[in-house]
Each structure stands twice: as structure tokens, then as C-alpha cells.
Amino acid sequence: MPTGTSTSQKMHADEPDIDTSLVRRLIAGQFPRWADLPVERVDSVGTSNSMYRLGEDMVVRLPRTEGAASDIGTEHIWLPRLAPVLPAAVPVPVGMGRPAEGYPWSWSVYGWLPGANPAAGRIAEPELLARDLAEFITALHRVDPLDAPPAYRGETLAARDEATRAVIAELGASADIDAGAATAVWEEALRAPTPSGPPVWIHADLQPGNMLLADDRLAAVIDFGCAGLGDPAVDLIAAWYVLPAAARPAFRAALGVDDATWTRGRGWALSIALPELGYYRETNPVMAGNARHVIRELLDSRPAHG
């Protein structure tokens, strides 16, 4: 599961108090067969859930926000169905907890997945990872969409226009970004043709914190809270969030995406990274640093090549 620098401070308004003691009480009260297992906070840069390792083989995942809690039911239904058809491991739920001990929402216990998060821009085998990611994305996009829920990012890019321009103006005014360059990338994405086919299964949040590597290869993809039906271009954000520029052509070739889809992917990456930078500058410096990296990659690269 995720490894790296984490923060124990709250990142959201009205975030509940979560600590090891709470997790022990919840487990003892609802899963007494696991009450004697050690509990240890997992270092993670995740923003939606707090994670605690339970024994050697499990992890407890407690939502930090009501929105994240609303994803639990979907994950418990769909992850067991997705796991057998995907080429990398995904979390397998082994228990769903109820609100208790002052904690207001449902929570989950999953099987533990070994591995480490990739460090954006410092990938040992970038072209191998590019092909692994393309294989995973291709398999996910081919999953039967029957009865699938809409993705968290299932809207069009145009629906994100007002919010994206607002954050460009905000970050430009504080000299965090080149507002003119960001606007140019964004407007190019808005001009790209919309998807020609029906929505497909997407993960919708393929960031470093949601991937696990083992021996420099993709071992697992985690956190399916955003997953559902949407524009396949959303999953191209991995090109800028994870892969170095030199590996992006291999990633794009393995996926076989056209110019319009690639350009929309750039727009999706920008429209996700910008608000992350604005929101997490003070509360999650690792997430903010990742967002700065993505924005820099998008603004520095030429559209024809990346």
C-alpha cells in the first residue's frame, strides 16, 4: 500500500478526528476476531482516506470526508467484479464497518497490497511502466459498462471551464503559475472534439499515490473512489502525473489514442492539478508538489510530443 511522506494534520473542513486509538476501538467493536492484531498508521499522501495497517495482511481505510464515504458502497460492489479482469492487483474488500465511537461514516477493511508509490519524474524503468499502465487502462476501458455508475469525473471538460479559469486566475495572481500558458493549454483542450463513442469504465485518478510498483513494474492500482463511466481521456492523466516526457510516446502508442483524446487528456490533467495546488499548498505539501510537477510538465511540453 502507499508509502511515502504523509501528514497527520487535517486537510478538509469538518474532517473527523482519526487516530490509532479510534481504529482499535472500531475493530474491537465490530470485528472482534481481529481485535488482537497490531494497528499502525500507514504513511500516505492520500487526501480522501486515512489508512492503518491491520496485522500483516489487511488495511483499514477511513474516509476523511462525507464525499469519500459515499464511495464505499460502490467500491464494495464493483472491486470484486473488476479484480479478475484487470492485469494489476486492485484492493479486495474483506469487511465494511459502521459509524461508531464518534466516527460518523462507514469505513472499510481491505486486503493489504505490497508495493511502493512511484516518484513522479524518477521512474527506474519508465517505458516498461508506460506499457504496464497502458495495458491496465486498456483492460479497464473494455470492461462491460452495464449498470456501472458514473465516474466522479464523468462530466465533460466544458463543464469544468468556469472552475478551471477561476483557479488559473487565482494561481496566476499569486505567481504560482504562468496564467497565460495555462490558459492556452486549457483552451486547446476545450477545442478538441468530444468523445466519439459511449462512456467507458475509467479509474479517473491515476496519480502516483494510487499506484504501487514492485521491481519497477506496475503491481497494483488502488483507490477506486472516482471510478465509473466517463471519457477515456481522463485516464491519460498518468502520462503527466507519473511518466517522464521520454516515456509518453510509448504510453500513447500502446493505447493507440488519437490527437483529440490526447489533447483532452492534457486538459483533464491540468484541470485536476490546478485545484490540487490551490487547495493543498498548506495542508499537504507532497500533493501540492505533485501538482506543481504536473503543471510544469504540461506547460513546458509541446502538444505534438506530450
Side-chain angles (χ1 to χ4, degrees):
M1 285 292 186
T3 57
T5 304
S6 69
T7 176
S8 58
Q9 73 179 97
K10 296 183 180 182
M11 288 179 275
H12 311 283
D14 301 322
E15 185 175 326
D17 294 323
I18 302 173
D19 58 19
T20 303
S21 175
L22 170 66
V23 175
R24 289 198 179 105
R25 297 196 308 273
L26 289 171
I27 291 295
Q30 300 183 38
F31 300 100
R33 62 191 181 277
W34 299 329
D36 293 333
L37 294 176
V39 174
E40 182 180 0
R41 187 170 66 89
V42 176
D43 283 340
S44 171
V45 298
T47 61
S48 298
N49 298 274
S50 291
M51 298 175 62
Y52 291 79
R53 191 162 183 175
L54 179 63
E56 291 296 318
D57 301 320
M58 293 177 287
V59 63
V60 180
R61 192 162 169 260
L62 290 90
R64 291 175 177 265
T65 67
E66 185 175 6
S70 68
D71 301 326
I72 288 180
T74 299
E75 290 186 338
H76 278 251
I77 292 170
W78 284 101
L79 280 172
R81 303 183 192 181
L82 293 173
V85 298
L86 297 176
V90 301
V92 176
V94 296
M96 183 187 295
R98 305 179 307 276
E101 301 290 337
Y103 181 77
W105 306 306
S106 297
W107 47 281
S108 296
V109 182
Y110 288 92
W112 175 263
L113 292 172
N117 300 134
R122 300 192 302 275
I123 307 298
E125 297 288 349
E127 294 213 2
L128 291 179
L129 181 57
R131 289 196 287 270
D132 289 346
L133 283 169
E135 181 184 9
F136 180 88
I137 291 168
T138 298
L140 180 59
H141 290 185
R142 289 176 176 169
V143 172
D144 187 346
L146 182 65
D147 296 330
Y152 170 70
R153 296 182 172 119
E155 74 274 27
T156 64
L157 280 180
R160 302 170 73 84
D161 186 38
E162 182 178 353
T164 300
R165 291 184 188 275
V167 75
I168 287 174
E170 174 192 344
L171 294 175
S174 61
D176 282 290
I177 65 166
D178 180 335
T183 299
V185 171
W186 178 241
E187 290 183 343
E188 181 184 26
L190 290 176
R191 291 193 297 269
T194 56
S196 57
V200 301
W201 264 103
I202 58 174
H203 180 277
D205 201 24
L206 289 176
Q207 303 199 31
N210 293 333
M211 301 176 193
L212 298 175
L213 305 190
D215 297 324
D216 302 322
R217 304 298 297 270
L218 182 67
V221 175
I222 61 176
D223 196 345
F224 280 69
C226 294
L229 298 184
D231 179 357
V234 181
D235 283 341
L236 300 186
I237 69 170
W240 299 277
Y241 266 91
V242 180
L243 297 173
R248 288 178 203 141
F251 177 66
R252 180 175 178 178
L255 286 170
V257 299
D258 58 22
D259 288 345
T261 306
W262 190 254
T263 302
R264 291 199 311 277
R266 289 170 56 84
W268 276 105
L270 185 68
S271 72
I272 295 168
L274 287 168
E276 285 176 345
L277 175 56
Y279 189 84
Y280 293 113
R281 276 180 294 187
E282 302 300 328
T283 58
N284 192 327
V286 175
M287 178 66 76
N290 286 341
R292 287 184 189 277
H293 169 80
V294 173
I295 295 165
R296 185 168 58 249
E297 291 292 300
L298 287 163
L299 302 191
D300 289 351
S301 60
R302 292 176 296 169
H305 299 286

